[in-house]
Amino acid sequence: MSGNEVVRAWIDGWVVSRGAAPPLMEPWGFTVDVGHIKHPTRHVLGSTGTDVQEVDVRKVAAAVTGADVWLKVFDSPARVAPWLGPEWWLDPEPGYLMTVPLAPVTPDRLSVPDDYRQRTWARGGVIRTMISSADGTWVARGQIAPTGRTAVADQIETSPQHRRKGLGSLVMRTLTAAAFDQGAEIGVLAGTPEGRALYESLGWRVVADLTSARRKGPEEA
């Protein structure tokens, strides 16, 4: 898949995963209405890396006047930051657009460790899985939205007290196996630096860096 195709796949799966409005096509990418009080709308550039054009980023950024509107650009913060004005808050943590070929997972790779329990379910086109301790305490979770050939993994989390026990890997294997069973061939996600190590250990590769910026509100000016 090209970088542009991966971005489109991520958009298509993300809106399903988050229950957002269908994406609106723009000359430079996509606009998505999310509907949250602190995240009403996001604009996503459709290209990646060196294909991202400064003129497009500046044009989109200049057109945004509403507070807490987000801008997502699939290139490094070092390159994108100079194109944004002081009215934008830049997330200091970079992100990564990543993909992986999906494949069957053998049952032994899906076994739940002793003292934990797992439940997996699907609703509204989204597959979710949760791992808890024996007493019901939340330990780890994640979800994936298959949209045909691709599936977007999202909101992968593990409690700090239960990390380095293979639970994050179990969540990912559970989700990708379920998406594969529904016919998806390629997994897509936008990960954090912390999550990148987990995903790469499972065969995911970085397609592009991700810069996230938020239009500041009047109280932040």
Side-chain angles (χ1 to χ4, degrees):
M1 297 177 71
S2 68
N4 290 20
E5 290 172 327
V6 176
V7 173
R8 181 59 202 251
W10 179 70
I11 287 286
D12 288 343
W14 191 91
V15 299
V16 173
S17 177
R18 300 295 180 95
L24 300 176
M25 292 285 294
E26 308 280 7
W28 38 262
F30 310 92
T31 293
V32 177
D33 287 327
V34 182
H36 294 177
I37 188 170
K38 286 295 185 180
H39 190 166
T41 301
R42 62 167 47 187
H43 302 297
V44 184
L45 272 290
S47 51
T48 61
T50 56
D51 289 336
V52 175
Q53 300 298 309
E54 177 179 355
V55 64
D56 290 333
V57 176
R58 289 188 180 275
K59 178 181 179 180
V60 177
V64 175
T65 56
D68 298 316
V69 172
W70 283 80
L71 176 61
K72 301 284 183 174
V73 183
F74 289 101
D75 199 2
S76 68
R79 185 165 181 250
V80 175
W83 304 340
L84 302 176
E87 66 274 15
W88 287 90
W89 172 83
L90 193 70
D91 190 338
E93 183 176 72
Y96 305 98
L97 182 66
M98 306 182 72
T99 65
V100 71
L102 299 183
V105 179
T106 57
D108 62 293
R109 301 285 285 166
L110 297 174
S111 61
V112 183
D114 294 341
D115 299 325
Y116 292 100
R117 60 187 185 187
Q118 182 179 25
R119 186 179 182 190
T120 302
W121 67 99
R123 188 177 295 274
V126 182
I127 302 163
R128 293 176 170 86
T129 193
M130 182 186 75
I131 299 174
S132 60
S133 58
D135 65 2
T137 301
W138 177 86
V139 170
R141 73 166 308 279
Q143 59 196 61
I144 196 165
T147 54
R149 182 170 174 247
T150 58
V152 171
D154 189 28
Q155 296 188 320
I156 312 301
E157 302 175 77
T158 303
S159 167
Q161 294 83 3
H162 295 268
R163 291 175 182 169
R164 304 189 185 282
K165 297 182 179 180
L167 300 175
S169 297
L170 175 57
V171 165
M172 292 300 297
R173 286 194 294 267
T174 299
L175 295 175
T176 55
F180 179 83
D181 287 345
Q182 290 197 11
E185 300 172 4
I186 299 172
V188 180
L189 62 77
T192 63
E194 186 175 62
R196 176 178 174 175
L198 166 64
Y199 306 137
E200 287 184 328
S201 72
L202 296 171
W204 294 71
R205 69 174 185 89
V206 173
V207 174
D209 292 339
L210 169 59
T211 298
S212 297
R214 175 182 57 82
R215 184 60 157 77
K216 297 176 183 177
E219 69 282 0
E220 299 175 276

